[in-house]
Amino acid sequence: DGGITQSPKYLFRKEGQNVTLSCEQNLNHDAMYWYRQDPGQGLRLIYYSQIVNDFQKGDIAEGYSVSREKKESFPLTVTSAQKNPTAFYLCASSMYQGGIKNIQYFGAGTRLSVL
Amino acid sequence: GQNIDQPTEMTATEGAIVQINCTYQTSGFNGLFWYQQHAGEAPTFLSYNVLDGLEEKGRFSSFLSRSKGYSYLLLKELQMKDSASYLCAVRIGTYKYIFGTGTRLKVLA
Protein backbone atom coordinates (compact mmCIF):
# COMPACT_ATOMS: atom_id res chain seq x y z
CA ASP A 1 0.00 0.00 0.00
CA GLY A 2 1.28 3.45 -0.88
CA GLY A 3 1.35 6.08 1.77
CA ILE A 4 3.21 8.25 4.22
CA THR A 5 4.64 6.77 7.40
CA GLN A 6 5.49 8.91 10.39
CA SER A 7 7.26 7.61 13.46
CA PRO A 8 7.10 7.55 16.36
CA LYS A 9 3.43 8.18 17.07
CA TYR A 10 4.29 9.69 20.47
CA LEU A 11 7.57 11.33 21.48
CA PHE A 12 8.79 12.92 24.67
CA ARG A 13 11.58 15.47 24.81
CA LYS A 14 13.69 16.40 27.79
CA GLU A 15 14.97 19.88 28.39
CA GLY A 16 17.91 20.74 26.12
CA GLN A 17 17.47 17.64 23.98
CA ASN A 18 17.23 17.42 20.20
CA VAL A 19 14.71 14.92 18.83
CA THR A 20 14.12 13.69 15.29
CA LEU A 21 10.76 12.85 13.75
CA SER A 22 10.77 10.43 10.86
CA CYS A 23 8.73 10.76 7.65
CA GLU A 24 8.89 8.25 4.80
CA GLN A 25 6.72 8.11 1.66
CA ASN A 26 6.43 5.50 -1.09
CA LEU A 27 4.14 7.54 -3.33
CA ASN A 28 7.01 8.72 -5.55
CA HIS A 29 6.07 12.30 -4.72
CA ASP A 30 8.50 15.09 -5.42
CA ALA A 31 7.50 17.53 -2.69
CA MET A 32 7.41 16.92 1.05
CA TYR A 33 6.28 19.17 3.89
CA TRP A 34 6.30 19.48 7.66
CA TYR A 35 3.46 21.18 9.51
CA ARG A 36 2.80 21.91 13.14
CA GLN A 37 -0.74 21.82 14.53
CA ASP A 38 -1.67 23.44 17.84
CA PRO A 39 -5.14 23.44 19.43
CA GLY A 40 -7.33 26.18 17.95
CA GLN A 41 -4.81 27.00 15.24
CA GLY A 42 -4.51 26.01 11.62
CA LEU A 43 -1.66 23.92 10.27
CA ARG A 44 1.49 26.02 10.12
CA LEU A 45 4.27 25.25 7.66
CA ILE A 46 7.69 24.54 9.15
CA TYR A 47 9.72 23.44 6.12
CA TYR A 48 9.10 22.09 2.66
CA SER A 49 11.23 20.41 0.02
CA GLN A 50 10.61 20.36 -3.71
CA ILE A 51 13.42 17.99 -4.67
CA VAL A 52 16.25 16.00 -3.11
CA ASN A 53 18.98 18.08 -1.43
CA ASP A 54 16.83 21.22 -1.50
CA PHE A 55 14.45 22.62 1.12
CA GLN A 56 12.86 25.93 2.03
CA LYS A 57 11.85 27.53 5.31
CA GLY A 58 8.18 27.90 6.02
CA ASP A 59 6.50 30.36 8.36
CA ILE A 60 7.81 28.92 11.65
CA ALA A 61 11.21 27.35 10.86
CA GLU A 62 13.08 28.70 13.90
CA GLY A 63 14.21 25.91 16.21
CA TYR A 64 13.75 23.21 13.56
CA SER A 65 16.01 21.61 10.95
CA VAL A 66 15.43 19.18 8.09
CA SER A 67 17.31 17.17 5.50
CA ARG A 68 16.30 15.61 2.16
CA GLU A 69 18.98 13.12 1.18
CA LYS A 70 16.52 10.71 -0.44
CA LYS A 71 13.29 11.33 -2.33
CA GLU A 72 11.39 9.07 0.06
CA SER A 73 12.58 10.59 3.33
CA PHE A 74 12.23 14.01 5.00
CA PRO A 75 13.16 13.87 8.71
CA LEU A 76 12.50 16.81 11.01
CA THR A 77 14.74 17.63 13.97
CA VAL A 78 13.28 19.65 16.81
CA THR A 79 16.26 21.34 18.40
CA SER A 80 16.72 22.63 21.94
CA ALA A 81 16.30 26.13 20.48
CA GLN A 82 12.59 25.42 19.99
CA LYS A 83 11.26 26.56 23.37
CA ASN A 84 7.66 25.46 22.90
CA PRO A 85 7.80 22.17 20.97
CA THR A 86 4.66 20.53 22.37
CA ALA A 87 2.38 20.03 19.36
CA PHE A 88 1.06 17.57 16.79
CA TYR A 89 3.46 17.32 13.84
CA LEU A 90 2.21 16.33 10.42
CA CYS A 91 4.25 15.33 7.40
CA ALA A 92 2.76 15.60 3.92
CA SER A 93 3.77 14.99 0.33
CA SER A 94 2.50 15.94 -3.12
CA MET A 95 3.35 15.31 -6.74
CA TYR A 96 4.42 18.26 -8.83
CA GLN A 97 2.64 18.14 -12.16
CA GLY A 98 2.87 21.67 -13.44
CA GLY A 99 -0.20 23.17 -11.92
CA ILE A 100 -2.56 20.23 -11.80
CA LYS A 101 -4.28 19.37 -8.48
CA ASN A 102 -1.10 18.46 -6.55
CA ILE A 103 -3.14 17.14 -3.65
CA GLN A 104 -1.26 16.96 -0.37
CA TYR A 105 -1.42 13.59 1.37
CA PHE A 106 -0.70 13.44 5.09
CA GLY A 107 0.92 10.99 7.46
CA ALA A 108 -0.75 9.96 10.73
CA GLY A 109 1.25 12.46 12.76
CA THR A 110 3.64 12.52 15.71
CA ARG A 111 2.54 13.98 19.03
CA LEU A 112 5.50 15.59 20.77
CA SER A 113 5.44 16.47 24.45
CA VAL A 114 8.01 17.98 26.78
CA LEU A 115 8.96 16.14 29.99
CA GLY B 1 -1.07 39.08 5.11
CA GLN B 2 -2.74 35.74 4.58
CA ASN B 3 -6.06 35.04 6.23
CA ILE B 4 -8.57 32.20 6.08
CA ASP B 5 -11.74 32.31 8.19
CA GLN B 6 -14.00 29.41 9.10
CA PRO B 7 -16.55 29.01 11.89
CA THR B 8 -15.03 27.33 14.92
CA GLU B 9 -17.82 24.88 15.59
CA MET B 10 -21.11 23.68 14.08
CA THR B 11 -23.73 21.21 15.18
CA ALA B 12 -26.19 19.32 12.97
CA THR B 13 -28.51 16.33 13.17
CA GLU B 14 -27.99 12.94 11.55
CA GLY B 15 -29.58 12.86 8.08
CA ALA B 16 -29.53 16.64 7.70
CA ILE B 17 -27.53 18.92 5.38
CA VAL B 18 -24.81 21.26 6.66
CA GLN B 19 -22.84 24.01 4.91
CA ILE B 20 -19.39 24.99 6.19
CA ASN B 21 -18.19 28.36 4.91
CA CYS B 22 -14.66 29.53 4.26
CA THR B 23 -13.56 33.03 3.31
CA TYR B 24 -10.02 33.86 2.34
CA GLN B 25 -7.75 36.83 1.71
CA THR B 26 -4.43 35.67 0.32
CA SER B 27 -1.59 37.13 -1.74
CA GLY B 28 -2.21 34.58 -4.50
CA PHE B 29 -4.55 31.78 -5.43
CA ASN B 30 -3.83 28.44 -7.07
CA GLY B 31 -6.64 26.26 -5.78
CA LEU B 32 -8.74 25.66 -2.68
CA PHE B 33 -8.80 22.35 -0.83
CA TRP B 34 -11.08 20.84 1.80
CA TYR B 35 -9.79 18.21 4.21
CA GLN B 36 -11.51 16.13 6.89
CA GLN B 37 -9.62 15.46 10.11
CA HIS B 38 -10.81 13.17 12.89
CA ALA B 39 -9.33 13.92 16.31
CA GLY B 40 -5.70 12.82 16.58
CA GLU B 41 -5.59 11.60 12.99
CA ALA B 42 -4.22 12.78 9.66
CA PRO B 43 -6.23 15.14 7.46
CA THR B 44 -7.74 13.34 4.47
CA PHE B 45 -8.49 15.05 1.16
CA LEU B 46 -12.15 15.74 0.36
CA SER B 47 -12.35 18.18 -2.53
CA TYR B 48 -10.55 20.67 -4.74
CA ASN B 49 -11.73 23.80 -6.57
CA VAL B 50 -9.66 26.03 -8.80
CA LEU B 51 -12.41 27.45 -11.06
CA ASP B 52 -15.66 29.09 -9.94
CA GLY B 53 -18.56 26.76 -9.45
CA LEU B 54 -19.68 23.61 -7.76
CA GLU B 55 -17.80 20.32 -7.57
CA GLU B 56 -19.86 17.33 -6.46
CA LYS B 57 -18.52 14.07 -5.11
CA GLY B 58 -21.11 11.78 -3.57
CA ARG B 59 -22.47 13.26 -0.33
CA PHE B 60 -19.91 16.07 -0.44
CA SER B 61 -19.95 19.17 -2.65
CA SER B 62 -17.69 22.19 -2.66
CA PHE B 63 -18.30 25.61 -4.15
CA LEU B 64 -15.88 28.39 -5.06
CA SER B 65 -16.26 32.07 -5.92
CA ARG B 66 -12.84 33.57 -6.57
CA SER B 67 -14.14 37.11 -6.96
CA LYS B 68 -15.67 36.94 -3.48
CA GLY B 69 -12.85 34.95 -1.87
CA TYR B 70 -15.44 32.44 -0.72
CA SER B 71 -15.94 28.71 -0.63
CA TYR B 72 -18.27 26.32 1.11
CA LEU B 73 -18.36 22.61 1.76
CA LEU B 74 -21.80 21.00 1.67
CA LEU B 75 -22.37 17.72 3.43
CA LYS B 76 -25.63 15.89 2.72
CA GLU B 77 -27.32 13.00 4.52
CA LEU B 78 -25.14 13.51 7.56
CA GLN B 79 -23.86 10.43 9.35
CA MET B 80 -22.39 10.10 12.82
CA LYS B 81 -18.98 9.33 11.27
CA ASP B 82 -18.98 12.82 9.71
CA SER B 83 -18.26 14.26 13.17
CA ALA B 84 -14.78 15.69 12.58
CA SER B 85 -12.91 18.90 11.87
CA TYR B 86 -13.06 20.29 8.34
CA LEU B 87 -10.06 22.26 7.15
CA CYS B 88 -10.11 24.81 4.35
CA ALA B 89 -6.75 25.42 2.65
CA VAL B 90 -5.66 27.77 -0.12
CA ARG B 91 -2.64 27.00 -2.26
CA ILE B 92 -0.45 29.93 -3.17
CA GLY B 93 1.95 29.27 -6.03
CA THR B 94 3.05 25.67 -6.48
CA TYR B 95 4.01 24.51 -3.02
CA LYS B 96 2.72 26.80 -0.32
CA TYR B 97 -0.61 26.07 1.36
CA ILE B 98 -2.36 28.29 3.92
CA PHE B 99 -4.75 26.46 6.26
CA GLY B 100 -7.72 27.80 8.18
CA THR B 101 -8.15 26.88 11.84
CA GLY B 102 -10.77 24.28 10.96
CA THR B 103 -14.47 23.84 11.74
CA ARG B 104 -15.38 21.22 14.31
CA LEU B 105 -18.62 19.54 13.25
CA LYS B 106 -20.71 17.59 15.74
CA VAL B 107 -23.40 15.31 14.33
CA LEU B 108 -26.14 14.48 16.82
CA ALA B 109 -28.39 11.42 16.70
Side-chain angles (χ1 to χ4, degrees), chain A residues 19-89:
Chain A
V19 292
T20 298
L21 284 61
S22 171
C23 178
E24 304 276 331
Q25 54 100 359
N26 60 5
L27 301 168
N28 199 32
H29 283 174
D30 302 297
M32 297 187 75
Y33 311 77
W34 275 105
Y35 291 93
R36 170 179 172 144
Q37 189 174 34
D38 294 278
Q41 296 197 40
L43 274 66
R44 292 184 290 166
L45 182 65
I46 305 172
Y47 270 97
Y48 68 97
S49 168
Q50 302 171 31
I51 55 172
V52 173
N53 292 324
D54 184 60
F55 46 83
Q56 309 294 330
K57 290 183 179 180
D59 300 317
I60 56 166
E62 188 173 344
Y64 301 97
S65 66
V66 293
S67 63
R68 187 90 186 273
E69 297 176 3
K70 298 185 301 181
K71 187 175 184 177
E72 303 78 22
S73 178
F74 192 41
L76 173 75
T77 297
V78 184
T79 75
S80 56
Q82 173 49 245
K83 297 306 179 189
N84 184 23
T86 298
F88 189 47
Y89 290 86

Side-chain angles (χ1 to χ4, degrees), chain A residues 91-105:
Chain A
C91 178
S93 70
S94 68
M95 177 73 79
Y96 175 65
Q97 288 180 331
I100 303 180
K101 277 186 187 178
N102 301 343
I103 298 166
Q104 280 193 326
Y105 294 92

